[in-house]
Amino acid sequence: MAQVLIAIVGLGAAVTTYCLMRFPHMRRERFRHYGAFSIAVSVLGALAVLLFCLALLILQNAWRVG
């Protein structure tokens, strides 16, 4: 059950990261002046968040087995 929750939260965090990096109008007022990141950088940021959550899934599974 915890693995499913980590996967859902990780996917949501990755999508949110992509949207916040790519579309500055969705950010807080004080961060809007930075402008949009490129598509490649936005995808890499979202991928980094997704890989971090995948690492958490692997570590949580290893902790339970070991």
Side-chain angles (χ1 to χ4, degrees):
M1 182 65 178
Q3 291 176 334
V4 173
L5 184 60
I6 292 172
I8 291 171
V9 169
L11 188 60
V15 170
T16 302
T17 300
Y18 175 80
C19 290
L20 287 175
M21 290 180 76
R22 189 69 190 131
F23 309 113
H25 67 276
M26 299 175 83
R27 298 180 197 153
R28 291 186 197 178
E29 187 66 38
R30 66 179 182 169
F31 297 113
R32 287 185 188 163
H33 69 278
Y34 288 117
F37 289 90
S38 68
I39 292 176
V41 172
S42 300
V43 168
L44 285 175
L47 186 62
V49 170
L50 199 58
L51 289 176
F52 177 75
C53 291
L54 180 63
L56 285 178
L57 281 173
I58 292 170
L59 290 172
Q60 197 253 355
N61 191 29
W63 180 272
R64 192 181 325 175
V65 172

